Amino acid sequence: MAKRLYVGNLSFQITEADLSELFAQVGAVDSVKIITDRDTGRSKGFAFVEMSDDGAAEQAILKFNGTDFNGRNLTVNEARPMEKRDFGSRGSSGSRGGGRDRY
């Protein structure tokens, strides 16, 4: 079963091909996705790498976590599921009248 890895602290010049080549040193890479800003298209400095098997993923964590890649020390660990965000409640009680009755 494939294992998804989080790769952080990336140089903004790194490409998906660069990461694929790096992680292929320890095993087969299924996919690489550098996360980019929706508005500018610029890298946010992190990516997700999916490895074909768990053993290769563990090797990648051991080998690349904390190592220098293009002038930056990588953070590599198992990706966690994305947390659900609640955009509806921003700490207000739902009242927009400043707390006073309008009548």
Side-chain angles (χ1 to χ4, degrees):
M1 185 174 159
K3 185 174 269 192
R4 195 166 190 221
L5 301 176
Y6 165 84
V7 184
N9 200 31
L10 291 174
S11 166
F12 296 119
Q13 289 75 39
I14 296 298
T15 66
E16 291 177 352
D18 295 334
L19 284 177
S20 183
E21 188 177 307
L22 177 70
F23 281 80
Q25 294 176 21
V26 295
V29 176
D30 288 343
S31 67
V32 176
K33 177 67 177 158
I34 293 177
I35 305 305
T36 56
D37 183 89
R38 175 181 7 203
D39 297 326
T40 65
R42 183 177 173 205
S43 168
K44 288 189 169 189
F46 68 97
F48 294 98
V49 175
E50 200 164 286
M51 305 287 296
S52 292
D53 70 83
D54 291 352
E58 292 300 321
Q59 280 297 109
I61 292 169
L62 292 172
K63 183 171 183 168
F64 301 125
N65 188 41
T67 61
D68 180 80
F69 185 60
N70 213 37
R72 309 283 299 260
N73 288 335
L74 295 180
T75 299
V76 181
N77 52 42
E78 189 173 345
R80 295 185 303 244
M82 194 164 95
E83 294 179 9
K84 183 179 177 189
R85 297 183 188 183
D86 183 12
F87 292 107
S89 64
R90 301 244 174 180
S92 74
S93 62
S95 169
R96 293 191 167 221
R100 289 193 249 154
D101 289 338
R102 295 171 61 145
Y103 302 104

